[in-house]
Structure formats: structure tokens, C-alpha cells
């Protein structure tokens, strides 16, 4: 069962989120953090997939502070638009969009323990959430763009983290992943023979084998840490 709701951040900002609910009692909550393309059909499908596994899944609109109703596709024009929107959000004064992520975590807590999963830019936000926010039991960034920069590597997670990367990712060099892994022995890093965006079946970079394995590992990771 899917619907939407409005959440309120600590600074009073009201913003929308897509919500997918399990058929039975939830086994926990999952906050799904979007790519640079908004809460589009793919992100809604991802949330639906977690609901089908028994989780209350909430996908907040993390572009709402700079532009409402963003739902992009994957053309070069869409990519350019998404990059601009991401830059605008990243340029907001701290804590910026992280307070919206915290509001989503708080809402998901009605279902029990909360995990955060994010893709592309959402992967970066998932990493930051793991390091800076409260109420998160586990975090899973998928190919988090920017995660391997020195400023992000310097952060310390407050919960268990499983990070997925592709070894053919044009946006995240392997040496950066290796530096991240060396700095965070406690973070589980999984590599795939895949490109950036390999989980998204709406993109040319989709890799069914890598996506299935990453999903299997993610579900096991959440089962381990959210039901502990």
C-alpha cells in the first residue's frame, strides 16, 4: 500500500515524502534517499520493494527546499537538471537537507528500528546520516557520489554501514574507494563489476546481476541490524 505524507523538519520546513507500507505488521522502517532525479518512478519502486519485504519505507523529497515536485528521467538533459538541483541543495547552510532526512527517520521509527539506504547523491546523504543523525540502526549507501572525498572520509559513522561501489564507476575512482576502505575498517565495503547507477533498471548502466547481489546483501544487513 503506497501513499504520500508531509513531514516537518526541525526548522519548520514542510516537505512531501512517498510512503510504501507493508501488508502486515512492519519489521522496521527504511528511509530511501533519492538520486539526483527526484522521487521518481524508480525510487518509488525501490520503496515498494522494501515494503514488500515487510518494512515501512519512506522516500523524502530531498530537493523540496530548492524546487518542488521534481521527477526527472535519465536523459542528458535530466542529468544536467539534477546536477544543478543537487548543487543548490548542497549549497544550503548547514544542516540543510539533513534535517529533512532526520524528519523522515523520525517518521519511520513508528515501525521500529530504522535503516537508511541511498543511491548516488542519496548514497552520500545516507553516509552523512550515518555519521551525523540520530535514531539510525544501519545505513547502506549505493555508489555515494562524493563519499570518498577527504572531507567525507574524515567522518565517523555512528551505526553499522554497508557501502556498495562499482569498479567501473566513472564518478567514483577506485583509489578513492580504497582510501575510504582503509580509513574505515569497520565499514563493510562491497565491490561489483558494474558502473555507476548499476541498481537502477531505468538506466543504461543497470546491471541485473550486481543489483540482485547488492539487494540480497542489503536485505540481510538490515535484517541483522534492525531486528537485533
Amino acid at each position: 500500500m503506497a501513499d504520500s505524507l508531509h513531514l516537518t523538519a526541525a526548522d519548520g520546513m514542510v516537505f512531501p515524502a512517498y510512503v510504501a507500507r507493508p501488508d502486515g505488521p512492519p519489521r522496521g522502517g527504511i528511509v530511501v534517499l533519492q538520486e539526483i532525479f527526484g522521487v521518481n518512478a524508480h525510487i518509488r519502486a525501490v520503496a515498494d520493494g522494501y515494503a514488500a519485504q515487510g518494512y515501512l519505507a519512506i522516500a523524502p523529497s530531498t530537493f523540496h527546499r530548492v524546487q518542488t515536485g521534481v521527477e526527472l528521467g535519465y536523459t542528458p538533459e535530466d542529468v544536467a537538471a539534477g546536477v544543478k538541483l543537487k548543487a543548490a541543495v548542497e549549497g544550503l547552510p548547514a544542516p540543510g537537507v539533513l534535517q529533512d532526512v532526520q524528519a523522515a527517520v523520525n517518521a519511520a521509527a513508528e515501525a521500529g528500528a530504522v535503516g537508511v539506504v541511498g543511491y548516488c547523491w542519496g548514497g552520500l546523504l545516507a553516509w552523512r546520516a550515518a555519521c551525523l543523525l540520530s535514531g539510525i540502526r544501519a545505513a547502506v549507501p549505493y555508489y555515494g557520489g562524493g563519499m570518498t572525498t577527504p572531507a567525507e572520509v574524515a567522518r565517523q559513522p555512528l551505526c553499522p554501514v554497508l557501502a556498495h561501489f562499482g569498479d567501473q564507476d566513472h564518478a567514483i575512482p577506485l583509489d578513492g574507494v580504497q582510501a575510504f576502505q582503509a580509513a574505515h575498517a569497520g565499514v563493510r565495503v562491497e565491490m561489483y563489476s558494474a558502473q555507476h547507477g548499476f541498481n537502477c533498471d531505468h538506466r543504461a548502466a543497470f546491471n541485473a546481476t550486481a543489483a540482485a547481489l547488492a539487494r540480497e546483501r542489503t536485505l540481510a544487513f538490515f535484517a541483522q541490524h534492525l531486528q537485533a
Side-chain angles (χ1 to χ4, degrees), residues 36-37 71-83:
I36 62 169
F37 307 103
E71 184 170 344
L72 300 172
Y74 298 92
T75 67
E77 293 77 16
D78 290 325
V79 171
V83 167

Side-chain angles (χ1 to χ4, degrees), residues 55-78:
Y55 295 99
L56 169 65
I58 298 179
S61 174
T62 47
F63 278 157
H64 191 77
R65 287 180 180 267
V66 298
Q67 185 171 317
T68 62
V70 176
E71 184 170 344
L72 300 172
Y74 298 92
T75 67
E77 293 77 16
D78 290 325

Side-chain angles (χ1 to χ4, degrees), residues 36 79 83 86 120-121 142-149 165-177 194-197 203 205:
I36 62 169
V79 171
V83 167
K86 173 193 171 184
C120 183
W121 177 48
Y142 276 71
Y143 34 84
M147 263 181 71
T148 60
T149 62
F165 294 101
D167 64 7
Q168 301 158 37
D169 193 326
H170 64 280
I172 307 175
L174 278 177
D175 57 354
V177 176
Q195 302 174 35
H196 189 81
R203 302 174 73 163

Side-chain angles (χ1 to χ4, degrees), residues 1-225:
M1 184 174 64
D3 57 12
S4 61
L5 80 166
H6 283 82
L7 303 175
T8 304
D11 67 349
M13 167 66 76
V14 178
F15 62 97
Y18 176 80
V19 182
R21 302 181 186 277
D23 289 336
R27 59 191 300 192
I30 302 289
V31 173
V32 179
L33 297 175
Q34 64 171 68
E35 302 169 299
I36 62 169
F37 307 103
V39 182
N40 61 8
H42 171 61
I43 292 299
R44 295 194 298 271
V46 169
D48 292 344
Y50 284 109
Q53 293 295 319
Y55 295 99
L56 169 65
I58 298 179
S61 174
T62 47
F63 278 157
H64 191 77
R65 287 180 180 267
V66 298
Q67 185 171 317
T68 62
V70 176
E71 184 170 344
L72 300 172
Y74 298 92
T75 67
E77 293 77 16
D78 290 325
V79 171
V83 167
K84 287 183 179 180
L85 288 165
K86 173 193 171 184
V89 176
E90 290 284 309
L92 294 171
V97 75
L98 282 179
Q99 57 197 318
D100 304 341
V101 178
Q102 183 69 69
V105 170
N106 296 346
E110 75 172 59
V114 177
V116 173
V117 62
Y119 305 84
C120 183
W121 177 48
L124 173 60
L125 293 179
W127 169 247
R128 290 176 180 166
C131 298
L132 299 170
L133 302 185
S134 62
I136 299 172
R137 271 298 177 86
V140 182
Y142 276 71
Y143 34 84
M147 263 181 71
T148 60
T149 62
E152 297 298 333
V153 171
R155 300 187 194 275
Q156 294 297 323
L158 304 174
C159 66
V161 175
L162 164 62
H164 301 297
F165 294 101
D167 64 7
Q168 301 158 37
D169 193 326
H170 64 280
I172 307 175
L174 278 177
D175 57 354
V177 176
Q178 292 163 353
F180 177 90
Q181 192 169 16
H184 294 286
V187 172
R188 180 179 164 191
V189 174
E190 297 287 358
M191 296 295 301
Y192 302 84
S193 180
Q195 302 174 35
H196 189 81
F198 69 78
N199 181 73
C200 179
D201 58 2
H202 294 221
R203 302 174 73 163
F206 176 61
N207 184 311
T209 300
L213 180 55
R215 176 175 167 78
E216 178 184 331
R217 288 168 169 166
T218 298
L219 289 172
F221 191 74
F222 282 143
Q224 175 186 356
H225 295 290

